[in-house]
């Protein structure tokens, strides 16, 4: 059985540079450089290094913030594995390298063999843009592309294997560029590579939950909490629109259930780090969100007619994701295996435990060193087991126990208030998507911004689900919130959503846009195309634009930073 389902792979079909047929007789070196925001790209890069070393390479793994372009240009063979972050941007640990690459000499990478593996989410407009940008720039600087770039969707375990095997075989045929091996100055003006930045996943800040308040009514279909955290370090230095990353630990209940299934006591040690398996499962591995690759591995031993094996072999990613929805790692194990799972091999297949990021719902001007978060709690029961979100449940426990947790800031790239405080802003944030706009409004109130503010908020029902209702009504009475448009989809016979309100208010929206207003959207990624369509309809109806003109107008707003999304 193969997990390389070609129909799920995207590649850049540009012309690859030719490679030499001469085989390098010396030890074949391979430098794997990664740009990673959540840890997935780093994990994949480390697996490639293991595979390469197993095939006789001398492979090294390095984060892109550990070297300059000049350092990279002196490598014999380069593989770059990178994710894309926040509306098409480089991961934070790849940004300095990318910035330096912009001013590099035109032939810096002349004849340096390279390949790029990009990871992204095709639900976003700028799918794999970071990898695409690096691939194009290295080619512009004279690099020898030995294989077309692979653009992997979130299911990279199912789509990358064939490409990786081909890459390793192709690199074996490459004769590295002959170069002067004498020491060279690898510094770049403005670069300080010896000191890692603080307030990162590797060196997080600390925080304590000092206030927890239930926002939703008891009868609401979902439980939403308002948390206030006292934070340390760089996490205090944020702007409205930024996010805070929380590093959770897995629930001890889930860990103990997994240990029981695997037949382990928890004191066993796997690997060279000296940690016992209980500690490793609780702190290091993602157990709440099983990935498709581990499912594919688990079903290899199943009978050919097993329904989950058939599902994997169908290559239907949507069906696979639907099946995985709501299942944690223990659910998947119970439905695919009995007790024949090798614990060490199982641990090697797990991905790193990811941080969870939350839009900040406060303003430093209004709230000092406290960071406010708006968190929807994930909790449900299925198959006789109680499930809770890895981080939403963790935050509830942290609030009750008053324990210190690990956090770090995630600065937004464009999702900030206009520099001109006389500019109008239109904010679209249904459900917990209202969080950053609460921060915007608190900031605009304290700074006495002269621009007008218009908020579109929605949920299923008004009574149990109108988050921050009293605050929003008070801001209206003060004249801070000039317009408030509400859409509670199930409070009337026909469903009404925020995009419907945008169409209804089209005349006034077009007047605001004509006056220079900025539009911000925050919410689930499925909302983004709906808001696009609603705004295009407004431009066509009230701006007398053709579909092409409306599209160009919206694109110009994006390029000017006047139409920005924070979707997840």
């Amino acid at each position: 059985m193969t997990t390389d389902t070609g129909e799920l792979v995207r590649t850049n079909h540009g012309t690859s540079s030719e490679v030499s047929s001469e085989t390098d007789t010396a030890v074949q070196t391979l430098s794997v450089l990664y740009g990673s925001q959540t840890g997935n790209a780093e994990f994949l890069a480390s697996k490639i290094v293991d595979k390469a070393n197993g095939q006789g390479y001398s492979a090294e793994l390095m984060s892109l913030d550990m070297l300059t372009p000049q350092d990279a240009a002196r490598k014999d063979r380069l593989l770059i594995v990178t994710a894309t972050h926040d509306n098409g941007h480089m991961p934070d640990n790849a940004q300095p390298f990318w910035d330096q690459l912009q001013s590099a000499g035109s032939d810096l990478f002349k004849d340096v063999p390279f390949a790029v593996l990009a990871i992204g989410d095709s639900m976003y407009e700028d799918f794999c843009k970071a990898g695409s940008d690096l691939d194009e720039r290295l080619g512009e600087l004279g690099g020898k592309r030995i294989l077309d770039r692979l653009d992997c969707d979130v299911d990279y375990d199912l789509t990358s294997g064939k490409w990786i095997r081909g890459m390793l075989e192709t690199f074996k045929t490459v004769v590295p560029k002959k170069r002067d091996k004498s020491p060279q100055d690898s510094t770049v003006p403005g670069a300080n590579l010896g000191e890692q930045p603080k307030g990162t996943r590797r060196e997080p800040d600390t925080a304590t939950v000092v206030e927890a308040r239930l926002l939703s009514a008891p009868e609401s279909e979902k439980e939403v909490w308002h948390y206030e955290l006292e934070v340390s370090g760089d996490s205090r230095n944020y702007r409205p629109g930024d996010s805070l990353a929380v590093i959770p630990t897995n629930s001890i209940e889930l860990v103990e259930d997994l240990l029981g299934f695997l037949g382990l006591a928890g004191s066993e040690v796997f690997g060279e780090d000296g940690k016992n398996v209980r500690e490793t499962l609780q702190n290091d591995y993602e157990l709440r969100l099983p990935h498709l690759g581990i499912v594919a591995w688990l079903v290899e031993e199943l009978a050919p007619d097993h329904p989950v094996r058939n599902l994997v072999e169908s290559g239907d990613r949507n069906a696979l994701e639907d099946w995985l929805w709501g299942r944690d790692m223990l659910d998947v194990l119970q439905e695919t295996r009995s007790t024949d799972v090798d614990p060490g091999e199982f641990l090697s297949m797990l991905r790193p435990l990811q941080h969870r990021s939350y839009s900040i719902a406060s303003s430093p001007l209004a709230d000092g060193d406290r960071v406010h978060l708006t968190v929807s709690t994930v909790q449900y029961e299925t198959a006789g087991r109680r499930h809770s979100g890895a981080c939403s449940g963790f935050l509830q426990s942290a609030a009750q126990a008053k324990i210190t947790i690990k956090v770090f800031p995630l600065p937004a790239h464009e999702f900030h208030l206009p520099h001109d405080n006389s500019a109008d802003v239109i904010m679209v944030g249904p459900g917990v998507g209202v969080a950053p706009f609460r921060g915007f409004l608190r900031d605009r109130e304290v700074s006495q911004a002269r621009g007008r503010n218009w908020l579109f908020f929605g949920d299923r029902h008004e009574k149990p689900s109108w988050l921050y209702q009293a605050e929003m009504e008070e801001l209206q009475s003060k004249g801070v919130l000039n317009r408030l448009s509400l859409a509670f989809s199930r409070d009337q016979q026909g469903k009404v959503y925020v995009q419907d309100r945008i169409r209804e208010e089209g005349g006034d929206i077009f007047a605001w846009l004509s006056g220079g207003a900025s539009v911000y959207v925050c919410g689930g990624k499925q909302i983004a195309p709906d808001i696009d369509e609603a705004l295009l309809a407004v431009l066509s109806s009230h701006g007398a634009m053709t579909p092409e003109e409306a599209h160009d107008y919206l694109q110009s707003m994006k390029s000017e930073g006047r139409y920005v999304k924070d979707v997840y």
Side-chain angles (χ1 to χ4, degrees), residues 148 420 464:
D148 287 334
D420 180 1

Side-chain angles (χ1 to χ4, degrees), residues 25-74:
T25 57
V27 174
Q28 293 165 326
T29 59
L30 174 65
S31 299
V32 182
L33 316 179
Y34 66 86
S36 187
Q37 193 70 26
T38 64
N40 281 336
E42 179 181 2
F43 175 75
L44 178 57
S46 70
K47 292 297 182 183
I48 294 173
V49 166
D50 291 342
K51 184 180 287 289
N53 285 328
Q55 293 186 15
Y57 280 92
S58 174
E60 62 177 347
L61 178 69
M62 300 178 71
S63 169
L64 278 165
D65 60 5
M66 295 172 64
L67 74 175
T68 66
Q70 285 79 359
D71 294 325
R74 289 194 290 275

Side-chain angles (χ1 to χ4, degrees), residues 123-344:
M123 287 290 290
Y124 291 99
E125 295 176 4
D126 294 312
F127 174 69
C128 287
K129 186 176 186 300
S132 175
D133 287 346
L134 283 166
D135 182 55
E136 181 179 355
R137 184 60 178 154
L138 290 178
E140 291 173 349
L141 296 176
K144 180 189 294 184
R145 184 181 296 107
I146 63 105
L147 200 66
D148 287 334
R149 185 185 73 250
L150 175 67
D151 289 348
C152 287
D153 217 321
V154 288
D155 58 351
Y156 63 79
D157 301 272
L158 298 179
T159 61
S160 61
K162 183 177 180 180
W163 186 93
I164 291 169
R165 288 195 296 273
M167 176 271 301
L168 291 174
E169 287 301 315
T170 304
F171 263 133
K172 289 178 181 177
T173 70
V174 170
V175 177
K177 172 184 176 182
K178 289 182 169 40
R179 58 175 63 83
D180 180 7
K181 293 289 186 180
S182 61
Q184 301 179 47
D185 180 12
S186 65
T187 61
V188 174
N192 185 3
L193 302 174
E195 180 180 348
Q196 291 294 314
K198 303 297 182 183
T200 65
R201 183 180 174 89
R202 293 185 181 279
E203 295 190 35
D205 298 322
T206 58
T208 305
V209 181
V210 293
E211 182 176 329
R213 171 164 51 95
L214 185 62
L215 293 177
S216 54
E219 65 271 24
S220 176
E221 297 171 348
K222 55 187 176 183
E223 189 176 276
V224 181
W225 286 83
H226 172 87
Y227 293 109
E228 298 188 11
L229 285 70
E230 286 188 352
V231 298
S232 70
D234 283 352
S235 294
R236 293 175 294 191
N237 304 323
Y238 70 92
R239 296 165 61 188
D242 290 346
S243 297
L244 186 74
V246 179
I247 302 176
T249 60
N250 288 308
S251 74
I252 192 61
E253 293 81 8
L254 177 55
V255 170
E256 292 300 327
D257 286 345
L258 266 173
L259 289 172
F261 181 90
L262 295 169
L264 298 174
S267 56
E268 299 87 348
V269 175
F270 295 91
E272 301 176 356
D273 58 8
K275 293 182 181 178
N276 65 52
V277 67
R278 177 179 285 104
E279 182 183 0
T280 297
L281 287 174
Q282 188 167 12
N283 299 306
D284 297 341
Y285 290 128
E286 185 62 60
L287 304 180
R288 181 65 187 81
L289 302 173
H291 60 88
L292 297 179
I294 201 166
V295 178
W297 171 70
L298 286 168
V299 302
E300 287 180 350
E301 302 301 322
L302 298 180
D305 60 347
H306 192 285
V308 183
R309 178 167 180 169
N310 287 336
L311 187 60
V312 171
E313 291 181 334
S314 74
D316 187 337
R317 197 186 91 192
N318 291 331
L320 275 166
E321 289 181 345
D322 288 343
W323 180 79
L324 274 175
W325 183 259
R327 287 174 166 85
D328 60 24
M329 198 63 253
L330 181 58
D331 294 324
V332 172
L333 282 170
Q334 290 174 334
E335 293 186 49
T336 59
R337 293 291 188 95
S338 53
T339 56
D340 61 341
V341 179
D342 178 83

Side-chain angles (χ1 to χ4, degrees), residues 424-428 452-457 483-485 497-521 530-543 545 553-554 557 562-563:
D424 298 332
V425 295
I426 299 171
M427 301 161 282
V428 184
R452 295 174 295 175
N453 306 297
W454 188 346
L455 174 66
F456 286 81
F457 174 77
R483 297 281 293 267
L484 177 63
S485 297
Y497 300 100
V498 287
Q499 57 265 33
D500 299 315
R501 296 299 187 215
I502 289 173
R503 288 184 172 91
E504 292 171 5
E505 305 277 5
D508 287 344
I509 286 180
F510 182 71
W512 280 48
L513 295 180
S514 300
S518 295
V519 178
Y520 300 86
V521 179
D530 295 331
I531 305 304
D532 281 351
E533 290 181 12
L535 290 174
L536 289 171
V538 168
L539 295 171
S540 297
S541 299
H542 300 278
M545 298 182 190
Y553 188 96
L554 211 57
M557 285 185 61
R562 290 179 51 219
Y563 184 31

